[in-house]
Amino acid sequence: DEPMRIPIATVLSLIELLQFIRKARGLVPGERPPVDQLRIAVVLSAWDAVDPTWQARSPADYASQHVHLLVDFLWSNFHAHDVMYFGLSATGGDLGDASHRARYLERDPDHSGGFVTWGDASGRAQRSEDLALPIRWALFGDAAMRHDP
């Protein structure tokens, strides 16, 4: 019954990985890469399990409250334009729940039931069934957001 907490070791591991990537790119601490040269898509998985009040908001809002050390690191070392937060649910619900599992097994095979959500420019939560959207955004930037297969 306690709120889920993200272990600080996980956040520190992510920051360390990002520091290795930055070093491989020849960047010093605090130096931002050129715009559109290094995009970071932060994917918050099991978004369907997040409290519904948070689901109504953008994943960036959730991250700023729950992984603020990571958010601060990204803000300090990357352009805001090159960081996007996504909430992702691969199955659209808890497969441990018998009723959801039954719906999941009855679904159209071309649709996983999963979804991805993000905040648009005004901060409103948007939603798509394109689970590859975070990867496409990391590769192609905002142009990927205008195409929903």
Side-chain angles (χ1 to χ4, degrees):
D1 292 338
E2 293 182 18
M4 185 173 86
R5 292 186 174 31
I6 297 158
I8 190 69
T10 301
V11 172
L12 292 175
S13 295
L14 290 171
I15 290 171
E16 185 174 29
L17 175 63
L18 290 166
Q19 288 175 323
F20 286 138
I21 292 169
R22 290 174 46 75
K23 184 173 182 179
R25 295 277 181 109
L27 299 168
V28 297
E31 177 186 7
R32 290 184 168 106
V35 174
D36 291 332
Q37 294 297 307
L38 183 56
R39 292 186 195 93
I40 304 296
V42 177
V43 179
L44 305 172
S45 62
W47 191 250
D48 57 90
V50 171
D51 185 280
T53 57
W54 284 108
Q55 286 184 32
R57 298 170 66 178
S58 75
D61 289 343
Y62 183 90
S64 70
Q65 290 297 311
H66 293 87
V67 288
H68 46 85
L69 183 63
L70 176 62
V71 171
D72 288 347
F73 175 81
L74 292 170
W75 180 84
S76 298
N77 290 279
F78 297 90
H79 296 282
H81 173 80
D82 288 335
V83 177
M84 179 73 83
Y85 297 86
F86 295 91
L88 187 134
S89 172
T91 62
D94 181 2
L95 293 178
D97 174 357
S99 64
H100 179 72
R101 186 173 55 251
R103 284 190 307 274
Y104 180 79
L105 292 172
E106 296 289 325
R107 80 198 186 296
D108 176 350
D110 292 333
H111 300 283
S112 71
F115 62 90
V116 63
T117 176
W118 69 96
D120 65 13
S122 66
R124 289 184 306 231
Q126 301 296 317
R127 186 174 168 136
S128 171
E129 291 183 7
D130 179 8
L131 300 184
L133 189 58
I135 295 169
R136 289 188 316 114
W137 178 85
L139 293 172
F140 305 112
D142 291 341
M145 309 308 271
R146 294 188 281 275
H147 301 94
D148 195 6

